[in-house]
Amino acid sequence: MKLGARVFKTGVAIVFALFIAELLELPSPVFAGIAAIFAIQPSIYRSYQTIVEQVQANIIGATIAVIFGLLFSHHVVAIGIAVIVAIGIMLKFKLEKSLSLALVTVVAIMEIQGDDFLTFGLIRFLTILVGVLAAFVVNLFFLPPKYEVKLFRKIYFLQDDIIRWTRLAVRQASEHTSTKEALSKFKSRMQRVDTLYDFYKEERNYFKNKKFVKGRKLVVYRQMITTSKKSLELLHRLHNHENELAQLPTQFHLMIQERLDFLLTYHEQLLLKYTGKLKPEHSEWSKNIDYVQRNELMEIFIKQISYAHDEGDTEFSSYHLLYILSRILDYEENLEHLDTLIVSYQTHHGHEINVEFEEEFV
């Protein structure tokens, strides 16, 4: 079991909320701790959005609780009806994410007995508000998330695994079931990458020059993710059509293998280039003058189809081979585009490469 920063922040937020509630001598400080649990979010921007919604939810819940408390006293049936009304209003205003806190506010206020109902209701409202604000402060200053580092790390290690399995697949060396399990895991890991990209995108910069740099970084990371998805699609094709790949003529199979080896190595170098480990002007393309170009590959493919047709080769599946080649070409084009974006970014902002990249990716 892995305990992340959010787990620790939740604990700290609860302690901080209880401490503030006790410092202000608020009765039932436990409600501040409960509110802090609902307010912890994975990013500062989402924490800001949440606190706005939860303040609204707290006001709605408190208002309903006071109205129903004055009209119907504190009967348990009245509490149930108040909860139903609160849910309806929250859904109407599209505040579903803060629904739980609104219901806590309703129950916390309506369970108060006595003549000082309004006074204690206001105190309960303020107690819950203290918990929400305490969680926001903790989210803002305690272990602030570094989503850029997390995002690149996820992309880097996911791509490393995809490259390893692709090299095995094109050589017909991977076991079918193991590859299928790996592909399933890659899909969930790619979804995690998309989530981290959204978190990083939501992070706000308050200086104009930083916003511009952040915008260019987002373009590079989006292309990194797109290219990784293309490589994963290619691996899927190699896995699905492994039988057709095995039936290819040896020379043609070796040509595809060599091309993929080159592209995979190129992908590895691009990720290193982004971290500053390779020179911006470095390009593997220029060093391979004997490398088969796209148009040459397609000409060879067409000739192979014609040859197989003339020879009556029924085992040769040009249809499935076309699927594989289209994925290879698509992957190659995305690599070229990623290279262009990285070189452009390095040229203008290479000095701003994250120091943690330099320390971790050696």
Side-chain angles (χ1 to χ4, degrees):
M1 182 178 67
K2 183 179 180 180
L3 300 179
R6 189 175 179 183
V7 175
F8 289 104
K9 286 200 291 186
T10 302
V12 172
I14 293 172
V15 173
F16 186 52
L18 293 174
F19 173 75
I20 297 297
E22 291 178 356
L23 189 65
L24 297 175
E25 298 182 351
L26 297 172
S28 302
V30 66
F31 288 106
I34 294 173
I37 296 174
F38 294 119
I40 286 294
Q41 294 295 316
S43 70
I44 295 175
Y45 179 69
R46 291 196 179 188
S47 181
Y48 168 74
Q49 288 182 316
T50 298
I51 193 174
V52 172
E53 291 181 3
Q54 290 186 337
V55 168
Q56 295 173 338
N58 201 17
I59 293 174
I60 292 172
T63 302
I64 293 173
V66 169
I67 293 174
F68 274 77
L70 292 175
L71 294 177
F72 306 105
S73 185
H74 308 283
H75 196 278
V76 291
V77 176
I79 296 177
I81 297 174
V83 166
I84 294 173
V85 173
I87 293 174
I89 293 176
M90 293 291 290
L91 294 178
K92 177 67 176 179
F93 289 100
K94 298 180 179 181
L95 296 172
E96 298 92 340
K97 295 180 181 178
S98 302
L99 180 59
S100 299
L101 184 65
L103 300 184
V104 169
T105 303
V106 171
V107 176
I109 293 178
M110 290 196 68
E111 62 94 20
I112 298 173
Q113 305 287 338
D115 299 329
D116 296 329
F117 167 71
L118 288 178
T119 302
F120 279 101
L122 178 61
I123 293 175
R124 287 281 173 90
F125 169 80
L126 294 176
T127 302
I128 293 175
L129 192 60
V130 165
V132 173
L133 294 174
F136 177 73
V137 171
V138 170
N139 228 22
L140 191 63
F141 296 106
F142 182 74
L143 296 176
K146 299 178 180 179
Y147 284 116
E148 181 185 359
V149 177
K150 292 181 179 179
L151 174 61
F152 184 80
R153 185 186 296 122
K154 288 288 185 182
I155 294 173
Y156 184 89
F157 289 112
L158 172 59
Q159 189 58 50
D160 185 60
D161 289 339
I162 293 174
I163 287 173
R164 188 181 306 114
W165 279 97
T166 303
R167 286 190 170 123
L168 290 174
V170 76
R171 288 169 169 78
Q172 304 283 294
S174 57
E175 202 274 326
H176 184 85
T177 304
S178 299
T179 307
K180 185 176 181 180
E181 292 175 356
L183 286 169
S184 178
K185 293 178 180 178
F186 290 155
K187 182 178 179 181
S188 61
R189 289 171 64 181
M190 190 65 74
Q191 292 173 346
R192 177 60 178 164
V193 168
D194 287 332
T195 301
L196 286 173
Y197 177 80
D198 290 337
F199 287 159
Y200 177 57
K201 185 178 180 180
E202 290 172 354
E203 288 183 348
R204 291 297 184 263
N205 291 298
Y206 302 100
F207 300 98
K208 188 174 181 180
N209 62 326
K210 293 294 184 181
K211 289 182 180 179
F212 180 71
V213 175
K214 171 73 175 292
R216 298 196 72 160
K217 279 186 176 181
L218 285 172
V219 173
V220 175
Y221 282 122
R222 186 173 63 240
Q223 183 59 30
M224 279 187 190
I225 295 171
T226 299
T227 308
S228 291
K229 288 180 178 179
K230 296 300 181 182
S231 68
L232 185 56
E233 290 175 6
L234 173 59
L235 179 56
H236 267 285
R237 286 300 177 187
L238 293 174
H239 173 67
N240 292 337
H241 304 305
E242 57 183 357
N243 293 330
E244 289 80 1
L245 192 64
Q247 295 169 2
L248 288 177
T250 303
Q251 184 179 2
F252 200 68
H253 191 171
L254 288 175
M255 185 181 67
I256 293 178
Q257 179 179 312
E258 291 174 2
R259 189 177 189 85
L260 273 180
D261 282 340
F262 168 75
L263 293 177
L264 296 173
T265 301
Y266 184 46
H267 200 162
E268 291 172 328
Q269 292 177 347
L270 288 181
L271 295 178
L272 288 175
K273 183 187 290 188
Y274 182 72
T275 64
K277 301 302 180 182
L278 294 178
K279 296 179 180 179
E281 65 274 12
H282 176 78
S283 177
E284 187 68 20
W285 299 102
S286 61
K287 294 186 178 182
N288 287 265
I289 56 176
D290 295 330
Y291 186 66
V292 178
Q293 300 301 314
R294 285 194 203 90
N295 56 339
E296 295 178 274
L297 180 67
M298 293 308 298
E299 288 177 2
I300 295 173
F301 170 61
I302 293 172
K303 290 179 180 179
Q304 182 63 44
I305 293 177
S306 177
Y307 174 78
H309 178 74
D310 293 340
E311 294 294 322
D313 188 354
T314 57
E315 294 184 350
F316 179 77
S317 176
S318 58
Y319 176 74
H320 294 113
L321 179 59
L322 182 59
Y323 268 119
I324 296 173
L325 289 178
S326 64
R327 290 294 180 267
I328 293 175
L329 296 177
D330 195 16
Y331 177 41
E332 181 179 319
E333 289 176 354
N334 277 276
L335 282 172
E336 289 178 324
H337 184 48
L338 178 60
D339 192 6
T340 301
L341 293 176
I342 290 176
V343 170
S344 176
Y345 179 81
Q346 288 279 11
T347 302
H348 295 91
H349 309 289
H351 60 284
E352 299 194 29
I353 285 293
N354 199 307
V355 177
E356 295 189 41
F357 288 172
E358 293 286 342
E359 295 175 352
E360 182 166 353
F361 301 98
V362 296

